[in-house]
Amino acid sequence: MSKTDTRPLLRGTLVLADWWPMSDRPGMERRHATLRVWCPHCREHHTHGWAPGDPLRPSHRQAHCSDPSPFQATGYYIAPWRKSDPEYAAHEVSPTKIIIRQKQRTTTLK
């Protein structure tokens, strides 16, 4: 995101999502999250994927607007709320915290 970029930056809340196997670490799983941002055009929330361990720098995304929107052609940037933002307390997982566990065994019923 350059200083001359006019696309908006939408900040949002990290919400926990599913566990995914780690291809580089067999037997381990990593928890993913989604970032829920408020769209000033649609006046509703849009949800985008976000790995909790990702850096806090803004990331470009395509708009999830359903009606014609100025963001559909250019997209926008998203990032989690910062510690200095009052909304920071709403995060379900702390930004930059990677969540890893041993893969859970599944039992099959006969």
Side-chain angles (χ1 to χ4, degrees):
M1 182 172 180
S2 71
K3 291 184 180 188
T4 59
D5 198 332
T6 59
R7 291 176 281 193
L9 170 61
L10 308 180
R11 292 197 180 271
T13 303
L14 284 169
V15 179
L16 287 171
D18 297 328
W19 290 94
W20 291 85
M22 297 177 69
S23 58
D24 59 334
R25 295 179 64 185
M28 301 297 284
E29 297 176 308
R30 182 174 177 177
R31 191 96 187 244
H32 286 263
T34 58
L35 188 66
R36 194 167 181 245
V37 298
W38 179 256
C39 178
H41 178 76
C42 298
R43 298 211 172 285
E44 61 184 42
H45 286 98
H46 296 311
T47 302
H48 296 273
W50 189 276
D54 283 353
L56 294 180
R57 68 177 170 267
S59 176
H60 182 263
R61 295 294 200 279
Q62 292 299 318
H64 284 193
C65 303
S66 54
D67 293 329
S69 160
F71 303 146
Q72 287 178 328
T74 62
Y76 43 70
Y77 288 93
I78 62 171
W81 294 113
R82 301 164 292 195
K83 282 186 179 182
S84 59
D85 296 321
E87 297 87 352
Y88 182 84
H91 288 312
E92 288 185 10
V93 61
S94 175
T96 71
K97 180 181 179 187
I98 299 172
I99 305 170
I100 297 173
R101 71 176 184 187
Q102 257 189 329
K103 189 172 181 178
Q104 302 295 300
R105 292 185 179 175
T106 57
T107 58
T108 56
L109 300 175
K110 292 184 180 185

